[in-house]
Amino acid sequence: MTRKQLLTRTEIAKMDGENKVHFLNPQARRRNKSLGDAAGLVALGVHLIEIPIGSTASEFHCHLYEEECLFILDGSGVARIEDAVYQVEAGNFIGYPAGGQPHDLRNTGAGLMICLVVGQRLPFDVAIYPDKGKRLYRMAAQPWDLVDINAIEHPAPRRHT
């Protein structure tokens, strides 16, 4: 398949997109158009997403190594970042640094929330899902490992002599 660097407004509108449900949260539903894949990007994921009324974009999470951000194009809702909840609307930008605070985005408005979401695609990452007590380890071309946070053992650091 030949990839294009330029995707026109008409081409994007005609893209089917994919309905996604987060594997840890059936209330985290969105329609996803992967603009980055269509344009041949490898190191960045760029997605145009539509979040239905009452849904969240994903499970409450943070990434230890990858950065992500989003720009709200249409609609309104609430962004939960760590323990704070913020009212958000079209025109707002949210940046999530690597190793930052857990976050999610919920559509509490009267219509679809539409966002442009951008994230790194590193060959590895660790995602933490604090509400579920889970940690996800991801390595390129390997199956993901989802573990209970309480089952993780932290051995004492080795002393160098």
Side-chain angles (χ1 to χ4, degrees):
M1 178 176 156
T2 302
R3 305 229 186 246
K4 298 177 66 174
Q5 289 179 296
L6 171 65
L7 300 173
T8 67
R9 167 189 273 194
T10 302
E11 290 168 329
I12 293 168
K14 288 181 180 178
M15 290 173 72
D16 286 334
E18 180 181 357
N19 289 321
K20 293 193 169 201
V21 178
H22 195 279
F23 71 98
L24 288 175
N25 182 351
Q27 298 305 311
R29 299 178 291 120
R30 67 180 187 257
R31 183 135 185 97
N32 189 81
K33 293 182 180 185
S34 182
L35 305 180
D37 287 343
L41 298 181
V42 177
L44 288 176
V46 181
H47 305 275
L48 185 63
I49 67 168
E50 297 175 348
I51 308 166
I53 298 168
S55 293
T56 58
S58 72
E59 173 60 29
F60 189 62
H61 73 287
C62 64
H63 296 272
L64 294 187
Y65 298 99
E66 291 182 337
E67 291 187 326
E68 61 183 326
C69 62
L70 65 90
F71 185 79
I72 302 170
L73 298 168
D74 197 14
S76 62
V78 294
R80 179 168 64 138
I81 303 173
E82 190 104 35
D83 297 327
V85 176
Y86 303 93
Q87 295 294 320
V88 294
E89 61 187 1
N92 290 165
F93 174 84
I94 306 171
Y96 302 115
Q101 301 165 317
H103 54 272
D104 67 7
L105 179 68
R106 177 178 300 278
N107 179 351
T108 59
L112 278 178
M113 177 182 269
I114 301 173
C115 303
L116 186 65
V117 179
V118 179
Q120 289 180 285
R121 287 183 171 170
L122 297 177
F124 61 91
D125 192 24
V126 177
I128 300 171
Y129 299 96
D131 288 352
K132 302 291 185 187
K134 303 283 186 189
R135 186 176 286 186
L136 179 75
Y137 296 89
R138 182 183 50 77
M139 293 286 290
Q142 300 291 322
W144 293 358
D145 290 317
L146 182 68
V147 300
D148 289 322
I149 290 174
N150 291 333
I152 298 171
E153 294 183 21
H154 299 282
R158 295 189 342 201
R159 299 191 112 160
H160 297 287
T161 56

